[in-house]
Amino acid sequence: MYSFARYLAAKQTVDDRALNGRVWERLREALPPGPLDVLEIGAGTGTMIDRLARRGLLAAGGRYTAIDADASNIAEAERRLAGLSLPVALELEAADVYDFARHERGRRAWDLLVAHAFLDLVDAPRLLPDLFALLRPGGLFYFTINFDGLTALEPPVDPEFDEQVIALYHRTMDERAFGGQPAGDSRSGRHLLWQLPAAGAVILAAGASDWVVFGNGGRYPADEAYFLRHILHFFESSLSGHPELDPGRFDRWLAARRAQIDAGELIYVAHQLDVCGTIGWEQQGVYSSQ
Ligand SMILES: C[S@@+](CC[C@H](N)C(=O)[O-])C[C@H]1O[C@@H](n2cnc3c(N)ncnc32)[C@H](O)[C@@H]1O
């Protein structure tokens, strides 16, 4: 019933509205003309590739490397993108970002590093220095849709319980671990604003990229009703059986929220930040003088 690939596809129109225009324009100004070598990490099914091509960012003759830890996402990206005529050569790889960064360091370098709806799922302070070592001198990064600690579901169904569910949901993001390492940050957006400079980056622009989803006349645009159902599925799968939640009340809460989606009445807002920038010479491991 639930498909992550469909969720990523349904998320596209929500992301299109959310992406911060000023951060996007600053990135465009800073990019050199001509073909680029782009690396995208946590690329999912590759929807950012279509978006960047559609928005004219990928000049002919460039190369786009996209990696994702989940091989089924990469397989779906291959299937989907085979039908598009893209101006760049594509390299899609199923790989964990930490392994990839370690393996490629000193071997290859890119002009632009993209991470979309991804850096809130990793241990950013540990990962950023390894990522920046993959950029060429003057290389840029574009890190978008970084969750930043605020979720709103309207109208209320059980006000005190609404707050409790949302607070616990955020906590599950902070407690998530993979292989014993932190794998999430519910305030990634604001934390990146100091974690990036601490890793040697210069931020050129930052701004909000909130998801705002609402219906009109009982209907949501595109496949956004499914997007909302999948968001509720994330709530259900991370909080079912949570010792601090009354199970019957949680079931009723989920049923009421699902009924709101069916009626086109659920409003969902998630606060996120976009950021773009560049890095100092000393962080560019491949070309560092010593
Ligand atoms: C929220 S999805 C975003 C996907 C895509 N950027 C988009 O917005 O459509 C996060 C993606 O990160 C991938 N991922 C999570 N941890 C990863 C890791 N350590 N290395 C590489 N990819 C990872 C997941 O498989 C998933 O596809």
Side-chain angles (χ1 to χ4, degrees):
M1 179 190 176
Y2 291 104
S3 149
F4 191 67
R6 182 173 172 191
Y7 162 72
L8 294 181
K11 188 167 81 66
Q12 287 178 94
T13 51
V14 183
D15 285 346
D16 284 339
R17 282 197 302 278
L19 284 167
N20 186 287
R22 209 169 36 79
V23 176
W24 168 259
E25 283 310 321
R26 188 68 190 89
L27 174 74
R28 273 194 99 105
E29 280 166 23
L31 279 172
L36 296 172
D37 286 344
V38 181
L39 170 62
E40 182 179 355
I41 53 172
T45 55
T47 58
M48 197 62 167
I49 304 172
D50 322 24
R51 180 177 290 109
L52 295 183
R54 210 168 51 233
R55 294 185 175 194
L57 197 95
L58 304 178
R63 181 178 56 138
Y64 199 109
T65 310
I67 69 153
D68 195 278
D70 186 328
S72 65
N73 287 342
I74 291 295
E76 172 62 11
E78 271 163 3
R79 195 199 57 73
R80 235 177 36 73
L81 295 166
L84 302 179
S85 102
L86 293 168
V88 288
L90 270 185
E91 277 177 17
L92 303 171
E93 189 178 329
D96 171 78
V97 69
Y98 297 95
D99 296 342
F100 181 88
R102 223 172 300 124
H103 183 258
E104 297 301 326
R105 188 182 185 126
R107 294 172 192 243
R108 296 164 73 189
W110 284 266
D111 303 303
L112 174 64
L113 176 60
V114 174
H116 179 68
F118 177 67
L119 285 181
D120 45 19
L121 296 174
V122 294
D123 183 2
R126 179 161 80 99
L127 183 61
L128 289 174
D130 288 349
L131 288 180
F132 289 155
L134 302 179
L135 277 176
R136 294 202 173 111
L140 292 152
F141 59 85
Y142 184 47
F143 297 154
T144 44
I145 309 284
N146 301 296
F147 184 62
D148 193 45
L150 295 167
T151 301
L153 293 167
E154 295 286 334
V157 295
D158 181 348
E160 187 201 328
F161 197 67
D162 287 339
E163 278 188 28
Q164 191 191 357
V165 169
I166 288 169
L168 286 178
Y169 183 58
H170 292 171
R171 212 205 289 163
T172 64
M173 298 179 189
D174 296 321
E175 289 169 350
R176 202 162 40 207
F178 195 73
Q181 302 288 342
D185 180 355
S186 71
R187 294 178 180 199
S188 155
R190 73 194 70 175
H191 292 163
L192 282 171
L193 299 180
W194 55 264
Q195 289 167 345
L196 287 165
V202 176
I203 294 175
L204 297 176
S209 52
D210 298 355
W211 282 339
V212 183
V213 183
F214 60 97
N216 257 325
R219 295 177 64 85
Y220 295 98
D223 202 18
E224 294 183 19
Y226 181 79
F227 170 81
L228 291 174
R229 274 190 213 107
H230 209 99
I231 294 286
L232 278 191
H233 170 59
F234 288 143
F235 273 85
E236 183 173 26
S237 47
S238 21
L239 294 177
S240 278
H242 195 289
E244 291 174 47
L245 278 186
D246 177 293
R249 199 171 174 189
F250 187 46
D251 284 348
R252 286 192 295 282
W253 185 88
L254 286 167
R257 290 300 185 187
R258 287 189 176 119
Q260 286 181 322
I261 299 174
D262 292 343
E265 285 169 1
L266 181 67
I267 297 159
Y268 171 57
V269 178
H271 175 53
Q272 292 150 164
L273 294 183
D274 290 356
V275 54
C276 74
T278 186
I279 53 168
W281 285 85
E282 65 276 16
Q283 274 67 45
Q284 289 159 332
V286 179
Y287 293 93
S288 69
S289 53
Q290 297 301 323

